[in-house]
Amino acid sequence: MIKYSVVIVDDHTLLSQAIATMVNTFSKFKVLYTCKNGQELVEKFSTSAKYIPDIVLMDINMPLMNGIETTDWITKNHETVNVMALSVEDEDTTILKMLKVGAIGYLLKDTEKSVLENALIEIAENGFYHTKTVTNLLMKSLSDNYSEEITLKEREVTFMKHACSEMTYKEIADVMCLSPKTIDGYRDVLFTKLNVKNRVGLVMYAIKNKIYTP
Amino acid sequence: MIKYSVVIVDDHTLLSQAIATMVNTFSKFKVLYTCKNGQELVEKFSTSAKYIPDIVLMDINMPLMNGIETTDWITKNHETVNVMALSVEDEDTTILKMLKVGAIGYLLKDTEKSVLENALIEIAENGFYHTKTVTNLLMKSLSDNYSEEITLKEREVTFMKHACSEMTYKEIADVMCLSPKTIDGYRDVLFTKLNVKNRVGLVMYAIKNKIYTP
DNA sequence: TTTTAAATAAGGAAAAACACCTATTTGTAA
DNA sequence: TTACAAATAGGTGTTTTTCCTTATTTAAAA
């Protein structure tokens, strides 16, 4: 019986090895190798065609080259490879970003072994797998205002990072070499754009969107 | 050959199952069962003595009852059970807390399969396992001011969680059914205790110490 | 060159946050 | 019961934040 080949990308060695061990117990699949990040995967892919699998199981939060960038690269350069996201990340926007760059499935790490196996089978044989969660999310993204992408200027982002510190706005103005009144302006614009009420809201937004990491 | 029994506690089902699959490939160990959080484990332990393993592999970030609380409970109620922390968390204070409540080993999820197997063997046969990282950390904790333990009252913790929202202090006073002046008091005490200058500092402390999760 | 849009900045006022000191109330240990 | 500490809360004044409106300056587009 010909087994489908799988590659696992996750920066936590133990987890990728554990998942590999598990996938190897599935009768229809075998693990080719595991990677610690996107860069490693790109290198492997470029070395030889025999390193190109049928399916990639991709974590999202990784150093060097994260899951979104890596998936983007794979779908652009190796159309035949199916990427399935496998992450702890359940933020709507993250899932959407992943689907947008071409992931054909999205599973939370909080699922059953059998669910993973079925997902892999569906992907290998039908070319897609979507949980109800993902489908619902896609429906919502059609109706809701998910399209109104919020774009932040570089200065605003810089300011927001500083706002996550204990500096007063005056001090932030100093380190950014601007008038305190300009800072006031940034703040007011961001309050409106991000629909928050005060500095704490700003801080929370920055953290949730990985603009600032505590 | 008698195998040592292992229980795995991790809120991400897939990961605990994957690690279970891996541990089952180790000749000296077999997995009894897996749990999604501390509460599940406590229930299991209380059901029957046959559910009490030799070793518990414990994740730290879990809902309901986290790794630290759970380890504390185990070491207080089941001295014979060895707990090894297995986490992505590499914050010094977290590791120290875990050791303080009686974990006899600490492994990052970013390690090799063989390292885990050796650690398990050492724990089963010698009763301890410490990486160089942990040893260094313990040395540092002797010299440094790690001892100045900060203890927070329950009300202060509740307040701090609310402070991580966009509510004003007056609104927080309302939901906590206290005078705004009492809230002022909580804030002032926390500023001093935690050595922060303003509400953002409070928020950051809450996040870093997992009092509030964004 | 004129027009427009964006970035920077100011004034003024109200609200919220912060600091410091004091006064009840309450539970509990001596 | 008395004494004492902890929790709750009031007073007052300063600083910071927040909100609104308007004015330059700058850079790019028409």
Side-chain angles (χ1 to χ4, degrees):
Chain A
M1 184 205 211
I2 296 167
K3 293 192 176 193
Y4 297 107
S5 56
V6 178
V7 163
I8 295 149
V9 191
D10 194 319
D11 59 323
H12 299 295
T13 312
L14 193 65
L15 300 186
S16 60
Q17 287 184 359
I19 291 169
T21 310
M22 180 187 261
V23 170
N24 276 329
T25 68
F26 300 159
S27 59
K28 293 187 177 176
F29 302 91
K30 66 167 193 295
V31 175
L32 265 185
Y33 54 89
T34 62
C35 289
K36 285 178 73 73
N37 55 62
Q39 236 164 60
E40 264 188 29
L41 186 100
V42 170
E43 279 163 29
K44 275 281 190 183
F45 271 42
S46 311
T47 312
S48 159
K50 70 168 186 269
Y51 289 139
I52 295 175
D54 298 310
I55 298 174
V56 173
L57 280 181
M58 178 82 67
D59 186 35
I60 295 180
N61 296 313
M62 293 180 296
L64 289 177
M65 193 169 163
N66 71 30
I68 295 167
E69 297 170 87
T70 312
T71 304
D72 196 31
W73 182 86
I74 294 175
T75 53
K76 285 206 176 94
N77 296 280
H78 297 274
E79 281 180 34
T80 60
V81 178
N82 287 325
V83 179
M84 170 141 102
L86 186 61
S87 178
V88 289
E89 186 80 50
D90 65 346
E91 281 276 318
D92 286 5
T93 51
T94 312
I95 300 178
L96 280 176
K97 271 183 203 158
M98 205 58 192
L99 297 175
K100 205 171 279 178
V101 295
I104 50 143
Y106 198 105
L107 265 190
L108 289 179
K109 279 180 176 171
D110 180 21
T111 55
E112 289 287 327
K113 182 175 179 174
S114 57
V115 174
L116 174 63
E117 185 170 15
N118 288 332
L120 286 173
I121 292 172
E122 285 223 28
I123 285 177
E125 290 173 355
N126 304 330
F128 69 92
Y129 172 82
H130 289 307
T131 57
K132 208 171 270 176
T133 316
V134 170
T135 311
N136 289 343
L137 178 61
L138 286 172
M139 294 304 293
K140 205 165 66 169
S141 75
L142 281 178
S143 54
D144 281 16
N145 47 2
Y146 274 86
S147 41
E148 300 167 10
E149 196 125 342
I150 294 169
T151 47
L152 302 176
K153 323 277 178 190
E154 254 155 80
R155 297 300 266 168
E156 288 170 351
V157 171
T158 309
F159 160 69
M160 214 194 298
K161 285 177 183 167
H162 287 313
C164 293
S165 78
E166 293 188 22
M167 281 189 280
T168 66
Y169 291 127
K170 187 174 154 5
E171 288 168 338
I172 295 175
D174 281 349
V175 305
M176 285 182 72
C177 298
L178 289 171
S179 151
K181 280 298 176 181
T182 305
I183 296 295
D184 280 355
Y186 289 167
R187 184 197 54 220
D188 294 354
V189 167
L190 285 174
F191 279 9
T192 311
K193 256 193 207 178
L194 311 180
N195 195 34
V196 299
K197 283 207 261 294
N198 52 33
R199 187 159 164 181
V200 175
L202 216 57
V203 169
M204 285 306 161
Y205 182 93
I207 292 172
K208 282 185 187 149
N209 291 274
K210 300 184 202 314
I211 290 164
Y212 179 85
T213 310
Chain B
M1 183 205 211
I2 294 165
K3 294 191 176 192
Y4 297 106
S5 55
V6 178
V7 163
I8 294 149
V9 191
D10 194 320
D11 60 322
H12 299 296
T13 311
L14 194 65
L15 301 186
S16 60
Q17 288 184 358
I19 291 169
T21 310
M22 180 187 261
V23 170
N24 275 329
T25 68
F26 300 159
S27 60
K28 293 188 178 177
F29 302 91
K30 65 166 194 295
V31 175
L32 265 186
Y33 54 88
T34 63
C35 288
K36 286 177 73 72
N37 55 61
Q39 238 164 58
E40 264 188 31
L41 186 100
V42 170
E43 279 163 31
K44 275 281 191 184
F45 271 42
S46 310
T47 312
S48 160
K50 69 168 188 268
Y51 289 138
I52 296 175
D54 298 310
I55 298 175
V56 173
L57 280 181
M58 178 83 67
D59 187 35
I60 295 181
N61 297 313
M62 292 181 296
L64 289 178
M65 194 170 163
N66 70 31
I68 295 166
E69 297 170 86
T70 312
T71 304
D72 196 29
W73 183 87
I74 294 174
T75 53
K76 285 205 175 96
N77 296 281
H78 298 273
E79 282 180 34
T80 59
V81 178
N82 286 326
V83 180
M84 169 140 102
L86 185 61
S87 178
V88 290
E89 186 77 48
D90 65 348
E91 282 275 319
D92 284 4
T93 51
T94 311
I95 300 178
L96 279 177
K97 271 183 204 158
M98 207 57 194
L99 297 175
K100 204 169 281 178
V101 294
I104 50 145
Y106 198 106
L107 265 189
L108 290 179
K109 280 182 177 172
D110 179 21
T111 55
E112 290 287 326
K113 182 176 177 171
S114 57
V115 174
L116 174 64
E117 186 171 13
N118 288 331
L120 286 174
I121 291 172
E122 285 224 27
I123 285 177
E125 290 172 356
N126 303 331
F128 67 92
Y129 172 83
H130 289 307
T131 56
K132 207 171 272 176
T133 317
V134 170
T135 311
N136 288 343
L137 177 61
L138 286 172
M139 294 305 292
K140 205 166 65 170
S141 75
L142 281 179
S143 53
D144 284 15
N145 47 2
Y146 276 87
S147 43
E148 300 167 11
E149 191 125 346
I150 294 168
T151 47
L152 302 176
K153 323 277 179 190
E154 253 154 84
R155 297 300 266 168
E156 288 171 351
V157 171
T158 309
F159 159 70
M160 214 194 297
K161 283 177 185 165
H162 288 312
C164 294
S165 77
E166 293 188 22
M167 281 188 281
T168 65
Y169 291 127
K170 186 176 156 4
E171 288 167 339
I172 295 175
D174 281 348
V175 304
M176 285 182 72
C177 299
L178 289 171
S179 150
K181 279 299 174 179
T182 305
I183 296 296
D184 279 356
Y186 289 167
R187 184 197 54 220
D188 295 355
V189 167
L190 285 175
F191 279 9
T192 311
K193 256 192 207 177
L194 311 179
N195 194 32
V196 299
K197 283 206 260 297
N198 53 32
R199 187 159 165 180
V200 175
L202 216 56
V203 169
M204 285 306 162
Y205 182 93
I207 293 171
K208 281 183 187 150
N209 291 274
K210 300 187 201 316
I211 290 165
Y212 179 84
T213 311

